[in-house]
Amino acid sequence: MNEPIFLTPSFQERIWGGTKLKSIYQYDIPSAQTGECWAISGHENGESTVISGEYSGEKLSDLWENHPELFGFYHSEKFPLLIKILDANYDLSVQVHPDDFFAKSLESDELGKTECWYIIDCEEDAEIVFGHHAQTKTELVTMIENNQWDDLLHRVKVHPGDFFYVPSGTVHAIGKGTLVLETQQSSDTTYRVYDYNRTGPDGERRELHLEKAVAVATVPHITKKVEPKICRVDEATITTFVEDQYFSVHKWEVHNRIELVQDQPFMLVSVLEGNGTIQVNHKAYPIKKGQHFILPYRMENFILNGFMSLIVSHP
Ligand code: ZN
């Protein structure tokens, strides 16, 4: 197969969600509290469906299982990555995710969750929680029990274009007024540490998972610094944010034309801004803001034409 595989997202309503996924990307969202667009997902809690070519109508998880050749026979039982766009109209809960080892022992059949965020846009004073100040697990528990959130949590101001690498075990929260593209391991396991004492749609406070959260949290916090590498190729700028054991994430800013090679098992592409075409084997496919697609294994050289900004990841 030598053409891009276009996908349609699924959506998740959240108490912190808003309407930006519709106003900015024109998605057909289920309500005015839509928090998450699961753009490229083989996870059972919200699957992408193929909307182009010979596999049109198939779920990504079926494609993964039945056509390993499209993914370079990449060794993983399930589709390993999950690409989301998050509209944080309000603060997300302060949370932490397990690594593969904890996920396997504490949850059935889940991967760990290392994630990373590209800040697409945000309000002027938007901030995130990124790490904490406790030095030991005992201190962490004490500060949680005493509601010392201002002393415990480390807050960072964010700006459009910022990138954060959030390994499993990192205590974190996306703050209100932030639009994020998230690249993560395909997992839906979250342990809530603090939820601002909010109540859910049923009038009840959302569940916290303090015991598991403390068990998986990295203490003391370690910030893994990422140094973006920027290079210019043809009429494009390629920024590499991170290359690690779970994923590599890049931004391709195309200012007219660039020819590239698909040299990975597969690549996941999200169009954040602009429009143009992707040309493969003399056939040009129109692409525009809000679309998501996979470049399968052994797709030939391809040419991007137009003015656009893309986030690209691969295992
Ligand atoms: Zn998270």
Side-chain angles (χ1 to χ4, degrees):
M1 171 121 147
N2 51 11
E3 57 180 28
I5 302 168
F6 289 89
L7 300 154
T8 182
S10 67
F11 296 92
Q12 308 279 348
E13 297 178 72
R14 298 286 187 243
I15 61 168
W16 44 262
T19 55
K20 286 206 178 80
L21 293 169
K22 181 173 170 56
S23 61
I24 295 181
Y25 295 105
Q26 272 77 56
Y27 296 136
D28 187 14
I29 59 175
S31 79
Q33 284 198 317
T34 302
E36 307 191 8
C37 162
W38 289 26
I40 304 179
S41 166
H43 196 286
E44 59 194 5
N45 293 357
E47 281 238 36
S48 304
T49 307
V50 178
I51 46 163
S52 67
E54 62 180 296
Y55 303 112
S56 191
E58 283 200 42
K59 286 181 178 174
L60 182 52
S61 61
D62 292 332
L63 208 61
W64 181 259
E65 214 172 291
N66 301 330
H67 296 281
E69 72 282 2
L70 297 174
F71 306 96
F73 299 95
Y74 186 80
H75 184 74
S76 169
E77 198 185 316
K78 295 190 221 169
F79 188 75
L81 300 178
L82 176 50
I83 311 299
K84 295 180 183 173
I85 300 177
L86 309 179
D87 170 16
N89 197 33
Y90 298 100
D91 290 323
L92 273 74
S93 62
V94 178
Q95 54 187 254
V96 60
H97 307 295
D99 64 12
D100 287 341
F101 175 79
F102 273 110
K104 213 171 189 152
S105 55
L106 298 176
E107 314 294 334
S108 58
D109 211 23
E110 269 274 82
L111 292 173
K113 185 170 164 188
T114 283
E115 62 191 53
C116 62
W117 308 330
Y118 175 79
I119 310 294
I120 301 169
D121 199 7
C122 62
E123 286 170 10
E124 193 149 321
D125 292 320
E127 47 181 35
I128 55 169
V129 170
F130 191 66
H132 60 82
H133 299 295
Q135 294 305 308
T136 63
K137 295 239 172 180
T138 313
E139 193 181 2
L140 178 63
V141 171
T142 308
M143 292 177 94
I144 291 171
E145 282 175 350
N146 295 335
N147 282 298
Q148 292 170 271
W149 303 111
D150 289 341
D151 296 331
L152 177 64
L153 302 176
H154 177 63
R155 292 173 187 278
V156 180
K157 288 234 180 301
V158 297
H159 310 93
D162 284 352
F163 185 87
F164 296 91
Y165 179 62
V166 189
S168 56
T170 306
V171 173
H172 65 276
I174 293 171
K176 68 169 186 227
T178 315
L179 187 68
V180 175
L181 186 133
E182 181 175 69
T183 305
Q184 56 160 102
Q185 290 182 271
S186 183
S187 165
D188 198 21
T189 303
T190 293
Y191 302 140
R192 275 189 212 118
V193 178
Y194 178 49
D195 198 34
Y196 310 94
N197 303 316
R198 286 183 294 201
T199 51
D202 55 359
E204 298 287 321
R205 284 192 183 172
R206 296 199 296 171
E207 195 190 349
L208 300 178
H209 319 90
L210 291 176
E211 206 169 307
K212 285 177 174 175
V214 170
V216 306
T218 303
V219 185
H221 167 71
I222 301 165
T223 296
K224 237 183 156 179
K225 274 243 156 38
V226 286
E227 298 278 346
K229 281 178 262 168
I230 300 172
C231 73
R232 279 167 222 289
V233 188
D234 297 350
E235 292 161 304
T237 306
I238 294 187
T239 305
T240 298
F241 292 112
V242 65
E243 293 178 292
D244 90 334
Q245 72 180 111
Y246 299 111
F247 44 70
S248 296
V249 181
H250 316 271
K251 180 166 67 167
W252 296 349
E253 289 162 288
V254 183
H255 325 288
N256 198 17
R257 183 185 188 279
I258 180 175
E259 186 163 357
L260 291 162
V261 185
Q262 206 303 61
D263 55 0
Q264 301 294 330
F266 55 93
M267 287 181 176
L268 311 181
V269 186
S270 299
V271 187
L272 290 186
E273 268 308 329
N275 61 72
T277 58
I278 179 167
Q279 188 184 322
V280 189
N281 211 2
H282 305 294
K283 189 171 171 190
Y285 304 82
I287 53 176
K288 62 171 199 225
K289 177 175 175 171
Q291 279 184 326
H292 307 270
F293 54 91
I294 297 174
L295 302 181
Y297 185 58
R298 283 199 178 148
M299 206 187 76
E300 298 169 22
N301 294 15
F302 60 95
I303 298 165
L304 291 166
N305 268 307
F307 291 82
M308 51 198 165
S309 173
L310 315 162
I311 295 289
V312 181
S313 57
H314 54 80

